[in-house]
Amino acid sequence: MTGSAKGENGMPGRLAALLTETAADAVGTADNRAGGVYLCSSSPGLLRLAVLAGLPGHLFRPWWRLHVDRPFPVADVHRLGVQVVLPNATETMRRYPQFAAGLPFPFGSIHVPVAHAVSTFGVLTVLRPSAADAAEVLAERDRLTRLAQRLGGALRRLEQEGSSVRWDDEPLYVRPPATGPAAARLARFSWDPATGALAADDHLPALLGVPAGRELSHVRDLVECVTDPPRLQDLLRQTAAGRPPALPVPVRAANGEPRLVQLWGPGDADGARSAGGVVLDAGSGSTADAAADLLPDGVLSLDRLGVVGYANPRAAELLRRPHAELVGRSLWEGVPWLQEPAYEEHLRAVLLSDQPAHFHVRRPSGQEERPAEGDWLALSVYAGTDILTCTVRPSSRVPEPPVNPVEPVESVGGLAFDRGARDATTAEDTATAPMYRPIALAIALTEAVTARQVSAVVMQELLPAFGGRRLAIYLLQERHLYLAWEHGFPEGFLAPFDGVGLDTRLPGVETLTTGRPLFFDSMPQLRAAYPGIALDATEGARAFLPLIASGRPVGTCILGFDRPRSFSTQERTVLTAVAGLIAHAMEKAQRYETEAALARGLQQALLPHRLSAHPQVETAGRYLPGTQGMEVGGDWYDVVETGGALALVIGDVQGHGVQAAATMGQLRSAVRAFAVGDHPPDEVMSGTNHLLIDLDPGQFASCCYVRLDPVTGVARAARAGHPLPLLRRPDGLTELVDIPGGVVLGVDPQARYPVTELRLEPGAILALYTDGLVERPGADIDDGIAALRVALSRAGGGEVRADGRFLAGVADRLTTTARHTVDRPDDIALLLATRRSAAPRDD
């Protein structure tokens, strides 16, 4: 393995080795910038990033967790088992606008499933430079597919051996292999002072002049790799005791080449219990470094994981950080105040697009301030193949005046993540503040059609952006606010506030009646403003946002936090703007639900409430609406008495909504009229076809019509573009009924619908169904029909009872899975019929 893995969770074992090897291989050839593997977690429906190669994990924390139902390429690959190739940003925006909004940079990506046989473990994904079209990356896609298949087979073997292949930790990080011929100039290591256990990256053996295969697992192995072991051993002992050397210490590797060792003790790096250090090549690059040390501007170099490999004295001076706290550590460990969304967005852009970034940062107040330089620094970051170079120089930029976050402010600005309580004078680079979270939220809201879906999107997109833990949405009805959604609040806490009138003095009411958002940094501040208000146990901040769409009040949104915090100018503005987006989405959802209720009522009125009966025939029908879009469609079934026989009918009108339901009603009436007149099946299909063309030339429908003689069991059937019926014989053998049929109704006025004759034996079951029962996104419909065929064979056993309840049980069993599927993209209709051997006696 050419990369190096360092997981903060320190997870050992074969699973970690497999993941890091795959990630390194994924970015080790072609021109891939980064790669990673998502695996299933112990939480149902949640994928977690298990390994990340070529990018700093800190910058991509929002993408560590991903729900499989989100409209992202990784989710689609895992859920549907398909490959997704996005050659460039244009194609990404077209197919996955939320993904593109979250990472709005010019790059391409490839995503392939990690699976074996029937087991799907996760997704292998790589980020790469943009390509003109998918044809340019097909060879790379095929290579990644082979990598994913190899990993899937290995994970399957681990699973069979009893090992868990689920991932619930933070990701492992892999340093990609260097593309240039030069040897690595920096290696990082850490050790446990209590046990002496050593963890080092793959570059350490080369820098110390020992074979790459030699294991360095204990601190004594490190000591043995230098020409003066007692001196290094003494330095390590002092470091473990909390007295690390202030400056890099010169040593010589086993091969005699000069090296520098920089050490830090336990607790120096964010309170870590282990001690650590870096080994630097003091040879080939020393001349260049010495020249950079004389420059008037600060200069830093970072690897692709964000670790600082070099910093000249001017950089340390301008950043106000000791040189020893910069080199060998990640940029965010060395300069914590760079952990702001605006700055992180620039670094993401450089890493993913390889384009330079130029921006200003606000330097915190500190000692030895130079008045001529002010508080602002100008940073420029340039991308290289293996490293990033950053220059730092003073700037004369004048910051915006500070805003006191305690005052009630109605201001605007950009988006910032929750960093806890901040200094009131901290300003952000508002000109370049990242807006991808509001954009992603806006795009997601366009896809939400019900109030529940809108609320779920707000919870998934808004809370993570600000670090919130609680959400409540109230909607206005007849001058009262009713709770529509809650998350994170103690059970029953919000119940007393449900249905409060607009004359009640509560922050959730007053934010709506005044149209002004209310922000409280802590519970004591909220309690002081509203004495006597019931509060939960936390002392965290609260934000009350009015939901107003086009000047009309819609409701109130409440965000809750676990700890006190202030709200910056940017955050207040974005939350205010986002509240407007939520209000418009809720208003649209309320209109949708009103229309959907009308459509459902229309559809229920059009579907048969009672099926025509015959003493020798039992029938059962089931209808399930879809749960996406309008939730009503054009599927229907019917049983009609016709000249001493029974007509079994099932059909599916294109589309969903009121129009589809209305067309369905017209077709059902037409088919019934033809059936009552005892027209042959082909004439029923032809007549209905002409009627639909006359009614709506742009609409079409599928249909299957079967005329069954209850006495003889002879059935004559015609089909118009509809799925083939299934026939379960009394012995359990179940098969598709071959009915040649014709094109769908509403397309060709000259269409012909041939008639096929079959016989329904006593005890046999004829099953007519619509495609919603057998079709799933990303799966072959033939597989769905095969599954229904097996289910009918297993469910159809038993005696046909005189009480007419036998088929009802079969119909329920065949639709069990569909009834419990939350996300049904299409509606479903099912019609079953069976013959009794003789008419039941009238006792």
Side-chain angles (χ1 to χ4, degrees):
M1 184 176 66
T2 55
S4 63
K6 176 169 172 44
E8 293 183 11
N9 50 30
M11 181 177 181
R14 292 166 59 192
L15 178 58
L18 285 170
L19 294 171
T20 53
E21 181 179 1
T22 300
D25 288 346
V27 299
T29 59
D31 195 19
N32 297 329
R33 295 196 182 104
V37 177
Y38 283 85
L39 290 181
C40 296
S41 71
S42 298
S43 301
L46 182 67
L47 297 173
R48 292 189 70 113
L49 183 62
V51 61
L52 179 64
L55 291 174
H58 169 82
L59 288 185
F60 294 86
R61 184 180 290 269
W63 293 271
W64 284 8
R65 296 156 47 97
L66 185 65
H67 288 276
V68 297
D69 60 349
R70 302 301 295 148
F72 284 82
V74 169
D76 279 358
V77 170
H78 183 268
R79 189 177 67 255
L80 305 178
V82 298
Q83 299 174 343
V84 172
V85 177
L86 304 171
N88 48 51
T90 301
E91 184 68 7
T92 304
M93 177 59 78
R94 185 183 70 82
R95 295 177 58 185
Y96 295 97
Q98 288 191 56
F99 178 54
L103 294 170
F105 315 117
F107 68 92
S109 60
I110 304 173
H111 315 265
V112 295
V114 176
H116 179 77
V118 297
S119 300
T120 300
F121 300 105
V123 178
L124 172 62
T125 180
V126 297
L127 309 182
R128 63 180 320 281
S130 292
D133 53 44
E136 290 188 25
V137 298
L138 292 182
E140 178 62 13
R141 180 206 62 184
D142 294 341
R143 187 184 74 87
L144 293 171
T145 299
R146 292 191 294 270
L147 276 178
Q149 291 172 344
R150 185 182 71 186
L151 177 60
L155 294 178
R156 177 58 177 165
R157 288 189 292 274
L158 277 181
E159 193 175 53
Q160 290 174 332
E161 293 170 6
S163 300
S164 173
V165 293
R166 296 187 178 275
W167 194 269
D168 294 300
D169 298 294
E170 294 185 1
L172 302 170
Y173 304 136
V174 177
R175 180 173 287 105
T179 57
R185 299 188 56 226
L186 179 147
R188 190 174 186 179
F189 63 90
S190 63
W191 81 96
D192 186 339
T195 65
L198 180 74
D201 65 29
D202 289 350
H203 297 309
L204 188 60
L207 281 175
L208 294 177
V210 298
R214 178 174 173 178
E215 183 178 3
L216 301 177
S217 59
H218 196 277
V219 70
R220 61 174 171 266
D221 299 327
L222 177 65
V223 173
E224 294 171 357
C225 293
V226 300
T227 59
D228 189 4
R231 181 166 179 264
L232 180 58
Q233 188 171 25
D234 185 57
L235 291 171
L236 293 171
R237 188 181 301 111
Q238 293 179 30
T239 301
R243 301 189 303 276
L247 298 174
V249 178
V251 299
R252 287 197 175 272
N255 57 9
E257 294 182 358
R259 299 289 183 260
L260 292 175
V261 177
Q262 176 68 62
L263 301 172
W264 56 85
D268 289 350
D270 296 334
R273 289 178 294 179
S274 61
V278 292
V279 177
L280 301 170
D281 183 354
S284 59
S286 59
T287 301
D289 290 350
D293 286 347
L294 302 176
L295 293 176
D297 292 337
V299 178
L300 300 166
S301 68
L302 323 172
D303 67 8
R304 300 290 294 190
L305 296 187
V307 176
V308 179
Y310 167 78
N312 71 354
R314 181 58 168 159
E317 178 188 0
L318 289 173
L319 295 173
R320 296 202 184 102
R321 305 295 295 174
H323 186 274
E325 294 185 12
L326 289 175
V327 177
R329 304 187 182 187
S330 74
L331 184 62
W332 305 276
E333 291 175 343
V335 192
W337 46 269
L338 286 178
Q339 297 184 45
E340 292 293 341
Y343 313 149
E344 293 174 348
E345 186 78 344
H346 288 301
L347 292 171
R348 272 192 290 267
V350 174
L351 286 163
L352 295 179
S353 68
D354 286 345
Q355 298 297 314
H358 310 280
F359 53 100
H360 291 79
V361 301
R362 178 69 180 267
R363 182 175 54 184
S365 300
Q367 297 178 352
E368 300 180 4
E369 177 79 27
R370 296 189 179 185
E373 294 179 356
D375 286 336
W376 290 92
L377 299 175
L379 268 66
S380 295
V381 185
Y382 303 88
T385 304
D386 299 318
I387 64 171
L388 306 180
T389 300
C390 177
T391 63
V392 186
R393 61 178 59 90
S395 173
S396 59
R397 170 173 173 163
V398 179
E400 294 178 318
V403 176
N404 184 353
V406 179
E407 298 292 333
V409 180
E410 302 175 51
S411 55
V412 295
L415 173 64
F417 285 88
D418 176 23
R419 301 292 182 194
R422 296 180 180 168
D423 187 274
T425 61
T426 299
E428 300 230 6
D429 186 357
T430 55
T432 56
M435 295 298 294
Y436 63 87
R437 281 289 185 176
I439 294 172
L441 175 64
I443 295 173
L445 287 176
T446 63
E447 300 174 356
V449 294
T450 68
R452 189 171 186 82
Q453 290 172 346
V454 171
S455 301
V457 166
V458 174
M459 182 185 72
Q460 293 169 352
E461 296 291 344
L462 186 61
L463 287 186
F466 291 87
R469 295 292 182 270
R470 293 167 172 78
L471 172 70
I473 295 179
Y474 288 83
L475 296 181
L476 181 65
Q477 293 181 9
E478 298 180 352
R479 296 188 58 79
H480 288 77
L481 287 173
Y482 294 93
L483 184 63
W485 180 277
E486 65 172 307
H487 170 78
F489 284 94
E491 184 177 359
F493 172 75
L494 296 177
F497 304 102
D498 193 17
V500 297
L502 294 186
D503 56 351
T504 309
R505 190 175 186 273
L506 290 170
V509 174
E510 293 191 359
T511 190
L512 181 62
T513 56
T514 63
R516 294 170 49 247
L518 300 175
F519 299 96
F520 300 94
D521 294 357
S522 64
M523 283 300 185
Q525 192 180 81
L526 175 59
R527 189 180 298 112
Y530 292 88
I533 188 174
L535 302 175
D536 57 36
T538 65
E539 291 298 318
R542 290 289 183 271
F544 296 84
L545 309 174
L547 303 183
I548 299 175
S550 303
R552 294 184 297 275
V554 175
T556 297
C557 177
I558 304 173
L559 299 182
F561 301 84
D562 285 343
R563 66 177 188 271
R565 56 157 300 181
S566 59
F567 295 89
S568 68
T569 301
Q570 294 179 337
E571 291 173 318
R572 292 168 182 254
T573 296
V574 171
L575 286 172
T576 303
V578 163
L581 295 176
I582 298 171
H584 281 283
M586 280 294 184
E587 186 182 48
K588 180 188 71 174
Q590 289 175 326
R591 289 198 304 267
Y592 160 83
E593 289 174 344
T594 299
E595 182 180 352
L598 293 173
R600 283 192 293 269
L602 172 63
Q603 187 182 46
Q604 291 299 320
L606 294 174
L607 285 172
H609 297 282
R610 182 180 60 84
L611 299 178
S612 298
H614 190 281
Q616 288 183 253
V617 177
E618 179 184 341
T619 58
R622 294 291 182 270
Y623 175 81
L624 298 175
T627 57
Q628 295 179 356
M630 187 58 69
E631 294 188 5
V632 292
D635 289 17
W636 91 94
Y637 62 87
D638 208 350
V639 178
V640 186
E641 296 181 42
T642 171
L646 287 181
L648 311 174
V649 188
I650 196 162
D652 184 359
V653 177
Q654 171 207 20
H656 298 83
V658 175
Q659 180 61 42
T663 302
M664 176 268 285
Q666 292 171 315
L667 292 187
R668 176 173 175 259
S669 298
V671 172
R672 286 186 68 90
F674 286 119
V676 170
D678 201 14
H679 290 270
D682 56 336
E683 292 185 13
V684 174
M685 290 290 95
S686 296
T688 308
N689 179 45
H690 286 101
L691 175 65
L692 180 56
I693 291 174
D694 292 340
L695 286 174
D696 187 351
Q699 189 73 276
F700 59 86
S702 67
C703 185
C704 186
Y705 181 94
V706 180
R707 184 186 186 279
L708 173 65
D709 187 327
V711 178
T712 65
V714 173
R716 303 181 72 239
R719 186 172 65 93
H722 201 80
L724 292 172
L726 285 170
L727 178 62
R728 184 192 187 279
R729 300 190 184 279
D731 60 3
L733 177 64
T734 304
E735 60 188 359
L736 282 172
V737 181
D738 186 13
I739 301 176
V743 300
V744 293
L745 305 174
V747 174
D748 181 8
Q750 306 301 321
R752 295 291 180 265
Y753 300 94
V755 176
T756 300
E757 188 170 294
L758 62 145
R759 186 172 185 275
L760 188 64
E761 304 172 65
I765 300 175
L766 182 66
L768 308 179
Y769 53 92
T770 57
D771 56 8
L773 186 61
V774 294
E775 194 170 32
R776 293 292 179 271
D780 195 313
I781 190 172
D782 291 338
D783 294 336
I785 294 175
L788 179 63
R789 177 180 172 182
V790 172
L792 178 60
S793 177
R794 294 173 178 172
E799 294 293 331
V800 179
R801 293 155 41 189
D803 61 7
R805 295 300 304 162
F806 166 65
L807 277 192
V810 176
D812 288 339
R813 288 193 288 275
L814 294 182
T815 55
T816 295
T817 301
R819 286 199 310 273
H820 291 87
T821 299
V822 176
D823 196 12
R824 289 193 302 271
D826 199 2
D827 47 347
I828 294 169
L830 172 70
L831 179 61
L832 303 178
T834 188
R835 288 179 62 227
R836 302 185 180 94
S837 56
R841 292 180 301 173
D842 187 3
D843 296 333

